[in-house]
Amino acid sequence: QVQLVESGGGLVQPGGSLRLSCAASESTVMINRMGWHRQAPGKQRELVAVITTGSNTNYADSVKGRFTISRDNAKNTVYLQMNSLKPEDTAVYYCRFDDAYGRIYWAKGTLVTVSS
């Protein structure tokens, strides 16, 4: 069973930056789509950013120009560079991997808190 391990969450002041990472426990599994989702208190989980095997990316309007998603295929790792963070970015961030067979894997989530 493939597991996803996240790192990089924490507390940051408004305007600050954080970089999230998410790696699959197995390097041999073929991952197509890698994405980041988030869930703020009292809200539904929403897509933040996604990157395909060919490195095509898509972002939620709320993070365009501030967040950058990237991937390292050799390491089955996805990153989310978050700049100019706002209090409304506070949420639990989850990475999601879709493999070549259509199976979906979710990480347990990492908390990002933007507060002064």
Side-chain angles (χ1 to χ4, degrees):
Q1 179 71 17
V2 176
Q3 295 183 341
L4 304 185
V5 180
E6 295 175 323
S7 61
L11 173 65
V12 63
Q13 292 186 344
S17 298
L18 280 177
R19 188 188 193 216
L20 305 182
S21 301
C22 178
S25 59
E26 296 180 17
S27 61
T28 57
V29 62
M30 295 180 62
I31 303 298
N32 284 346
R33 176 187 180 277
M34 295 180 173
W36 289 95
H37 299 246
R38 69 185 181 187
Q39 188 167 16
K43 295 187 177 181
Q44 291 187 337
R45 191 174 298 189
E46 63 176 356
L47 175 68
V48 175
V50 61
I51 185 167
T52 66
T53 305
S55 293
N56 293 313
T57 59
N58 193 29
Y59 296 91
D61 288 342
S62 59
V63 306
K64 283 181 181 177
R66 300 188 297 121
F67 290 11
T68 302
I69 189 170
S70 60
R71 62 188 286 169
D72 184 333
N73 291 326
K75 297 180 180 180
N76 267 347
T77 299
V78 66
Y79 306 95
L80 186 67
Q81 178 65 45
M82 304 185 293
N83 299 328
S84 302
L85 283 161
K86 304 175 181 180
E88 51 263 43
D89 295 317
T90 295
V92 177
Y93 284 71
Y94 302 88
C95 67
R96 164 181 161 167
F97 286 7
D98 295 19
D99 73 13
Y101 301 98
R103 291 174 294 208
I104 299 172
Y105 307 96
W106 285 95
K108 293 182 179 180
T110 185
L111 178 62
V112 172
T113 303
V114 184
S115 175
S116 55

